[in-house]
């Protein structure tokens, strides 16, 4: 009898297992694939390794601006892939080590829930006082004619597993995943076309962030179509209507379908539990509890915020509540990062989002060109810090485009979580010269 069975070893599952082990709880972690889930094996980590290589190559080609000549710079796809696999192996070994230290039992196989407290893997049944479901998500497949069985069509996993680099790519779906892959190929000088149904790239991000990334993709030579609807795919040809209603056709060696992710709720035995769930995910409250006491869920399978760091936090909340420490998962300061070139990051409300809720807000913005470090280390391309302030001057949201945006945004998370006002942030001392100090300077506007 275990204290806890965790189904799924992604950022929700393995983090919960690590902490449960540290608490001295007898824990079983079940994973059908490799430790680390989608994030480590088919998502966050490999895509960032790919993008970093592409950025280094692009920077090498344009380094003469800084007085550095890199003659004959070449990009070796096989070397990049081998390095990426090494990074993944190292991180998987680290997770395995954490499980060993916490005396967490790890079982590989398809876990199926047979009752509230029982999970079967193969012919073996395991029983626990609590169950945490962290089965994650998979790429969603839109009902577009011509996708099924088409050898040129891949999802994000297929793109990462490709043995060679395509000279041309059409990306169907201009969300964060699609845009990151678009930048990867565009930075390497490949022909890229992005077709997005919404009016801007990257969904609900700040409008100016979306515009900046759109323009940079075009500067890199990519063709970007927003307010466009794909009607069919035929071999390597993608047919769509653009924002004017005109029919368009574009051909490519590879077609990436990147139209969101679907919760993994099938084939795990949810029908054997009396909990509230549908194809969008398992319903949980702010305590990560399902409608059945003793059963919790965290991460993408809940259909809420599909980000690895949110999954980890939600899993900790579930763990705390099941073992007697009341906790809730707040969603007001969950950051998001787009690892493009330049990077983009945001947390909290956008100006448009706040106004849509009827809030009275004002936005203040400062270009990164006001930063000495930014000017010293970049070619001076456009970048900015934008803050959304409420009626009392409280920080409701912050959005950054530029180098180090992903590292900077954590400070804004702390500011929002602590309900800091502009005048409070003005008193914080940032190191100089840094790009991050613009986050303070913008508060004086």
């Amino acid at each position: 009898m275990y204290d806890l069975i965790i189904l799924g070893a992604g950022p929700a599952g393995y983090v919960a297992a690590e902490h449960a082990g540290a608490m001295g709880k007898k824990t079983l972690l079940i994973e059908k694939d490799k430790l680390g889930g989608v994030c480590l094996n088919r998502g966050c980590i490999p895509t960032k390794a790919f993008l970093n290589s592409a950025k280094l190559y692009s920077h090498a080609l344009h380094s003469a601006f800084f007085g550095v000549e890199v003659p004959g710079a070449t990009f070796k796809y096989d070397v990049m892939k081998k390095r990426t696999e090494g990074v993944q192996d190292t991180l998987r070994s680290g997770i395995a080590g954490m499980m060993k230290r916490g005396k967490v039992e790890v079982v590989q196989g398809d876990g199926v829930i047979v009752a509230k407290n029982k999970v079967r893997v193969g012919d073996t049944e395991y029983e626990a006082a609590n169950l945490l479901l962290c089965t994650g998500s998979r790429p969603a497949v839109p009902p577009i004619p011509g996708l099924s069985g088409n050898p040129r069509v891949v999802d994000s996993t297929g793109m990462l597993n490709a043995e060679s680099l395509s000279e041309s790519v059409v990306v169907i779906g201009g969300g964060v995943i699609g845009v990151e892959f678009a930048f990867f190929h565009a930075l390497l000088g490949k022909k890229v076309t992005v077709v997005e149904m919404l009016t801007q790239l990257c969904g609900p991000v700040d409008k100016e962030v979306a515009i900046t990334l759109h323009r940079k993709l075009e500067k890199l030579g990519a063709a970007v179509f927003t307010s466009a609807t794909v009607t069919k795919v035929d071999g390597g040809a993608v047919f769509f209507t653009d924002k004017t209603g005109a029919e368009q056709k574009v051909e490519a060696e590879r077609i990436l379908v990147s139209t969101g992710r679907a919760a993994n709720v099938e084939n795990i035995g949810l029908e054997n539990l009396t909990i509230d769930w549908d194809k969008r995910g398992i319903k949980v409250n702010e305590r990560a509890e399902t409608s059945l006491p003793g059963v919790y869920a965290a991460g993408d399978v809940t259909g809420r915020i599909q980000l690895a760091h949110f999954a980890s936090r939600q899993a900790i909340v579930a763990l705390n509540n099941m073992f007697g420490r009341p906790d809730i998962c707040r969603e007001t300061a969950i950051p998001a990062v787009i690892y493009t070139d330049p990077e983009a990051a945001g947390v909290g409300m956008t100006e448009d989002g706040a106004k849509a809720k009827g809030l009275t807000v004002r936005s203040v913005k400062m270009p990164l060109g006001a930063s000495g470090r930014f000017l010293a280390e970049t070619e001076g391309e456009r970048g900015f810090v934008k803050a959304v302030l409420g009626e009392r001057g409280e920080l409701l949201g912050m959005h950054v485009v530029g180098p180090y945006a992903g590292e900077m945004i954590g400070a804004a998370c702390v500011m929002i979580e602590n309900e800091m006002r502009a005048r409070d942030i003005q008193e914080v001392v940032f190191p100089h010269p840094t790009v991050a100090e613009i986050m303070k300077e913008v508060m004086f506007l």
Side-chain angles (χ1 to χ4, degrees):
M1 180 74 169
Y2 295 89
D3 295 309
L4 169 63
I5 292 177
I6 302 170
L7 200 56
Y14 78 74
V15 168
E18 176 192 4
H19 285 264
M23 294 167 67
K25 304 300 180 181
K26 187 177 181 182
T27 304
L28 173 66
L29 178 63
I30 301 171
E31 172 55 53
K32 67 178 181 180
D33 197 358
K34 299 175 182 178
L35 292 175
V38 168
C39 179
L40 171 50
N41 298 294
R42 300 180 297 280
C44 317
I45 301 304
T47 55
K48 303 316 163 273
F50 274 41
L51 280 160
N52 187 61
S53 291
K55 291 175 186 178
L56 286 172
Y57 173 72
S58 179
H59 294 172
L61 293 181
H62 300 94
S63 62
F65 177 85
F66 300 95
V68 179
E69 297 286 350
V70 187
T74 58
F75 184 83
K76 296 186 177 181
Y77 185 77
D78 57 337
V79 175
M80 179 206 69
K81 282 206 55 165
K82 185 176 181 180
R83 176 187 175 274
T84 299
E85 290 164 1
V87 170
Q88 292 172 290
D89 288 341
T90 298
L91 292 172
R92 277 191 292 266
S93 295
I95 295 172
M98 290 190 298
M99 299 304 102
K100 186 176 181 179
R101 286 194 297 274
K103 298 181 180 179
V104 174
E105 184 178 347
V106 179
V107 171
Q108 186 170 21
D110 288 301
V112 179
I113 305 159
V114 294
K116 174 186 172 183
N117 302 102
K118 293 182 179 179
V119 177
R120 180 188 296 123
V121 181
D123 297 326
T124 306
E125 282 192 1
Y126 302 91
E127 189 172 355
N130 298 281
L131 180 61
L132 177 57
L133 307 176
C134 308
T135 51
S137 65
R138 64 188 184 281
V141 181
I144 298 172
L147 293 183
S148 180
N150 189 332
R152 294 201 188 185
V153 174
V154 296
D155 57 19
S156 56
T157 300
M159 188 65 84
L160 290 169
N161 290 339
E163 293 301 321
S164 61
L165 190 62
S166 294
E167 291 300 314
S168 57
V169 176
V170 174
V171 180
I172 300 177
V176 172
I177 296 172
V179 165
E180 288 185 346
F181 275 112
F183 264 90
F184 170 72
H185 288 86
L187 287 167
L188 296 176
K190 308 307 178 185
K191 182 182 177 182
V192 177
T193 304
V194 180
V195 184
E196 168 55 45
M197 183 174 63
L198 300 179
T199 57
Q200 67 173 39
L201 297 178
C202 300
V205 302
D206 176 82
K207 186 186 301 181
E208 289 185 84
V209 170
I211 291 172
T212 302
L213 297 183
H214 187 136
R215 288 175 176 169
K216 181 57 184 291
L217 267 177
E218 291 183 329
K219 184 176 180 180
L220 290 171
V224 182
F225 297 88
T226 54
S227 300
T229 303
V230 177
T231 54
K232 69 175 181 178
V233 174
D234 184 5
V238 177
F239 297 81
F240 62 95
T241 55
D242 62 24
K243 65 176 62 178
T244 70
E247 296 288 339
Q248 297 270 10
K249 174 187 173 182
V250 61
E251 296 195 46
E253 291 182 18
R254 190 166 291 152
I255 299 167
L256 170 63
V257 178
S258 181
T259 53
R261 300 188 64 82
N264 289 327
V265 292
E266 300 88 358
N267 305 316
I268 61 172
L270 288 180
E271 62 276 4
N272 297 321
L273 297 176
T274 55
I275 64 173
D276 186 11
W277 67 280
D278 58 29
K279 66 178 182 179
R280 293 169 295 182
I282 300 170
K283 310 304 178 186
V284 295
N285 60 18
E286 62 184 4
R287 292 162 54 87
E289 299 167 325
T290 70
S291 53
L292 182 62
V295 179
Y296 299 76
D300 286 7
V301 75
T302 65
R304 297 175 80 90
I305 301 173
Q306 293 183 326
L307 294 169
H309 42 276
F310 179 75
S312 297
R313 172 57 187 157
Q314 201 175 25
I316 294 298
V317 168
L319 197 69
N320 286 339
N321 284 309
M322 72 175 69
F323 294 123
R325 178 186 167 188
D327 198 0
I328 61 172
C329 194
R330 297 179 297 277
E331 299 182 6
T332 54
I334 306 300
V337 182
I338 309 171
Y339 296 85
T340 46
D341 190 15
E343 280 187 5
V347 62
M349 296 183 181
T350 63
E351 182 178 6
D352 289 343
K355 289 178 178 178
K357 292 185 177 182
L359 300 178
T360 300
V361 298
R362 72 183 183 97
S363 290
V364 288
K365 186 176 73 169
M366 181 172 284
L368 292 189
S371 161
R373 185 179 184 187
F374 175 79
L375 290 178
E377 295 185 357
T378 74
E379 296 179 47
E381 288 194 352
R382 187 182 179 206
F384 61 85
V385 169
K386 182 178 184 180
V388 181
L389 303 172
E391 290 184 276
R392 298 180 293 107
E394 71 276 20
L395 181 64
L396 299 176
M398 186 170 284
H399 311 277
V400 184
V401 175
Y404 325 112
E407 302 299 329
M408 291 165 58
I409 205 65
C413 297
V414 176
M415 296 171 189
I416 293 174
E417 279 284 3
N418 287 279
E419 300 180 346
M420 295 178 72
R421 298 162 296 177
R423 67 184 187 188
D424 300 320
I425 300 167
Q426 291 170 7
E427 298 174 5
V428 178
V429 179
F430 282 77
H432 175 79
T434 61
V435 179
E437 62 188 319
I438 298 296
M439 300 171 76
K440 168 185 174 178
E441 296 304 321
V442 73
M443 296 299 163
F444 288 95
L445 298 180

